[in-house]
Amino acid sequence: MDLQAALAANTPAAVRFRTVVDSWIGGNDLGLSAWHAALLGPLTGDPKYCAKAIGVVETMVTTAEAAIAAGQVPHAAGDSYYFVGEDIGDLALTYDWCFDTVTADQKTRWLAYADQAISNVWHPTTAKWGTTAMPWSGWAVDDPSDNYYYGFLKATMLVGLAARGEDTNADQWIAQFHDTKVMSELVPTFDTDLVGGGSREGTGYGVAMKNLFQLYDFWNATTGEHLYAKTPHTRASMLSFMHQIVPTLDKIAPTGDQSRDSTASFFDYHRQYLQELVSFYPNDALASRAQTLLANASVPKMGQAFMAVDDFLYANTTVVQQPLDGLGRTYYASGIGELYARSGWDTHATWLNLIAGPYTQSHAHQDQGSLLLYKDGWLAYDAVIDSHSGLPQATTAHSLVRIDQSGAPVTQVANTMSHLVALHTGTGWTYAASDVLPAYNGKAAVSKDQREVVYLEPDTVVVYDRVATAAGTQQTWQLATPVSPTISGSTATISAAHALHVTRYAPTAATSSVYAMSADSDFSSGFRLDETIAGGDQRYLHVLSIDGSVSSATAANDSSITVHLSTGHTATIVFDHDAPGATLTYDGTVTNLALGVDTMPE
């Protein structure tokens, strides 16, 4: 159904959107953008919508002109031009959709302002406002993996398309957007760096890719060209994002900075992200399953008034829902270094995440080798969830083996690449091996850091770590949790939504303790199970079991264990003591878990 037809039919999304815009025009501060009203102008023929949009943009431009005259930068240039996409995009869409009622003087002034802003973005060293040189850092102008980049693209594309034939710079902006940036920079980068979808900025700032996906949509609507199809990253992002959503469909994996909402709760932005992707592939079974997820998520319609436009644009009413059960339960997004596995697609399923990959973006964390575990709520999490800032990046906030030297954590280093070196699955189990030594970038304090995980469905995880560090260092196997663990000998119990039992079989000499994250003023709550031992060449063998999922477990040594599951299955795992690899005997069937990453079925 097209937009005019939706308005005529009074579909729920259309009625709500129009009601919200009318309320905004009536004086309620709902946080809407000018283009929301501008969109309804040509769709309804009612002049009040363009009148409102033009008034908002004119005020913005007049304010910017005053700032420039005073030798200051306008709002669009603030925070390294972060707002340029929002401001100039608003201007361009209003200019286009309300063209007949924008005055000649306004058109001239608006385009002059927009052209200067776009020129400044792409030429940071020669940027100016009025006659005053105002160079800036050029942050992210050549980085398609950074959220700022999509705002730069938005301003460039929309002014180019809206003013083509009226602005002598328009063709230049179109070429800059399409040829120079998207086809020659973004597509090659995504094809190389973001295999499997998603964003290296994490799930907080990475959701800004919704803004890029909307540009794909607007470009297609204007030119007929499917930019989304130029890279497999687009469709892969739909699949990876579905795996990043926990089974209760109300939270996402809290990877990287979460400054807007540290709890990483499912929000309108996540809904928009998935809606846009569904719209590109309406006849794809994956889109049908994504539509089911959207219908059952904790945000079944936009909660914020300023997001109502996206339910209107991307209702996707022709996409037939299909059950989520048809999806694979293990997914590896190699470009972002994220492995996800779950026991099923029901809301009570167990879900886990292992991180081993690139640490290349400023909003990413020192979380290489970390583990997350969820069942009806967080059992092992990223402590960012209970932070005030949403920005704790240090190793101390993550479930990994922390290495201390001279009383301080040895930091993981940006612009490094850890690796998932093995991934295999079989009936009832998933095996993964990671090497995160590269995250320490050759620091002498660390000579080995490898983590292997065997997930025994549905509720048991065997974790094996090889860590070698220099004399004088200290190692701490840590698990971040939302509630305080209770320690009894070598077993700690975390009683959250379910009881998570963490039993250490090696090293026997480690000392267990509980650390309250609130000792750091950035944290309101949260805890950490710490198992500490002197540095050296250590091996860690743990069994994490939910409720009574393990009947018994017996370790032969620090690298071999037999686990009897309450489901009647038995698994014996013999890890290679010195290098990644293992042998799994599951109900009598022996599997050699060698190096190599298998392709997971979709």
Side-chain angles (χ1 to χ4, degrees), residues 333-356:
S334 61
I336 60 175
E338 302 279 351
L339 173 66
Y340 308 98
R342 62 178 71 211
S343 61
W345 284 92
D346 59 288
T347 57
H348 299 294
T350 297
W351 174 98
L352 66 88
N353 167 225
L354 174 67
I355 300 176

Side-chain angles (χ1 to χ4, degrees), residues 572-597:
T572 296
I573 309 160
V574 180
F575 294 98
D576 188 308
H577 187 269
D578 297 316
T583 300
L584 169 67
T585 303
Y586 190 84
D587 289 346
T589 300
V590 180
T591 303
N592 179 35
L593 302 174
L595 297 181
V597 176

Side-chain angles (χ1 to χ4, degrees), residues 132-482:
T132 305
M134 294 188 179
W136 66 288
S137 68
W139 173 264
V141 295
D142 297 318
D143 185 3
S145 294
D146 189 286
N147 65 92
Y148 275 63
Y149 191 88
Y150 315 133
F152 304 158
L153 291 184
K154 180 177 181 179
T156 307
M157 184 196 88
L158 291 179
V159 172
L161 291 178
R164 191 174 189 185
E166 296 121 29
D167 181 357
T168 57
N169 291 298
D171 286 340
Q172 174 188 344
W173 302 147
I174 290 172
Q176 175 74 357
F177 167 79
H178 182 273
D179 302 340
T180 303
K181 289 300 171 180
V182 173
M183 297 308 299
S184 297
E185 193 168 73
L186 182 146
V187 169
T189 298
F190 282 14
D191 288 353
T192 301
D193 292 353
L194 295 180
V195 175
S199 168
R200 290 186 176 184
E201 291 193 296
T203 56
Y205 282 81
V207 78
M209 281 189 172
K210 67 184 179 61
N211 301 325
L212 173 65
F213 300 151
Q214 188 167 76
L215 296 185
Y216 290 167
D217 176 41
F218 284 13
W219 180 269
N220 176 52
T222 305
T223 72
E225 183 182 16
H226 302 319
L227 285 182
Y228 65 84
K230 301 298 183 182
T231 171
H233 169 267
T234 313
R235 185 181 183 277
S237 292
M238 178 160 48
L239 184 57
S240 65
F241 190 70
M242 293 170 73
H243 281 273
Q244 288 169 342
I245 300 171
V246 299
T248 48
L249 305 185
D250 59 349
K251 303 176 185 69
I252 58 171
T255 311
D257 287 346
Q258 305 289 329
S259 60
R260 183 190 57 80
D261 172 18
S262 63
T263 69
S265 296
F266 194 88
F267 183 65
D268 291 1
Y269 296 160
H270 307 114
R271 177 174 174 81
Q272 179 192 359
Y273 182 104
L274 208 48
Q275 282 178 317
E276 289 167 347
L277 293 172
V278 168
S279 74
F280 298 145
Y281 307 97
N283 300 313
D284 191 316
L286 181 60
S288 294
R289 293 187 170 103
Q291 192 78 335
T292 299
L293 189 154
L294 286 167
N296 291 278
S298 58
V299 182
K301 68 177 183 179
M302 295 299 180
Q304 304 298 312
F306 67 86
M307 296 296 294
V309 65
D310 296 286
D311 275 345
F312 177 53
L313 292 176
Y314 305 110
N316 298 319
T317 55
T318 63
V319 179
V320 179
Q321 296 182 28
Q322 290 188 26
L324 289 169
D325 285 342
L327 284 173
R329 298 198 301 272
T330 302
Y331 187 74
Y332 174 47
S334 61
I336 60 175
E338 302 279 351
L339 173 66
Y340 308 98
R342 62 178 71 211
S343 61
W345 284 92
D346 59 288
T347 57
H348 299 294
T350 297
W351 174 98
L352 66 88
N353 167 225
L354 174 67
I355 300 176
Y359 174 27
T360 58
Q361 287 291 322
S362 62
H363 292 296
H365 285 189
Q366 298 177 47
D367 56 8
Q368 296 303 310
S370 67
L371 190 71
L372 301 175
L373 187 62
Y374 188 97
K375 185 179 179 72
D376 292 317
W378 288 112
L379 301 175
Y381 73 164
D382 187 319
V384 69
I385 285 176
D386 280 318
S387 70
H388 298 296
S389 68
L391 305 174
Q393 297 188 352
T395 57
T396 51
H398 303 97
S399 298
L400 42 70
V401 180
R402 187 182 84 242
I403 301 156
D404 292 331
Q405 187 176 46
S406 302
V410 178
T411 57
Q412 295 184 354
V413 180
N415 298 316
T416 55
M417 184 76 69
S418 297
H419 304 284
L420 193 77
V421 297
L423 175 61
H424 309 292
T425 60
T427 302
W429 58 268
T430 296
Y431 165 77
S434 63
D435 181 5
V436 300
L437 178 62
Y440 294 95
N441 200 34
K443 291 183 177 181
V446 191
S447 56
K448 179 178 291 186
D449 193 345
Q450 301 164 350
R451 168 162 282 185
E452 299 184 34
V453 171
V454 179
Y455 171 41
L456 303 172
E457 296 179 7
D459 293 323
T460 303
V461 184
V462 180
V463 183
Y464 184 71
D465 296 284
R466 303 177 196 85
V467 182
T469 58
T473 59
Q474 181 175 274
Q475 300 177 15
T476 301
W477 191 96
Q478 59 187 34
L479 195 74
T481 69

Side-chain angles (χ1 to χ4, degrees), residues 493-544:
T493 300
I494 294 130
S495 298
H498 292 264
L500 175 65
H501 307 286
V502 182
T503 301
R504 170 173 40 87
Y505 294 89
T508 57
T511 300
S512 298
S513 62
V514 175
Y515 175 80
M517 297 301 294
S518 58
D520 182 329
S521 62
D522 188 28
F523 293 91
S524 60
S525 185
F527 300 86
R528 204 177 62 216
L529 170 64
D530 286 356
E531 297 178 351
T532 303
I533 194 168
D537 193 8
Q538 303 288 0
R539 300 295 178 269
Y540 299 82
L541 179 60
H542 288 82
V543 175
L544 282 59

Side-chain angles (χ1 to χ4, degrees), residues 93-106:
L93 292 176
T94 301
Y95 174 96
D96 188 38
W97 292 339
C98 300
F99 186 83
D100 290 342
T101 47
V102 179
T103 69
D105 174 68
Q106 288 171 331

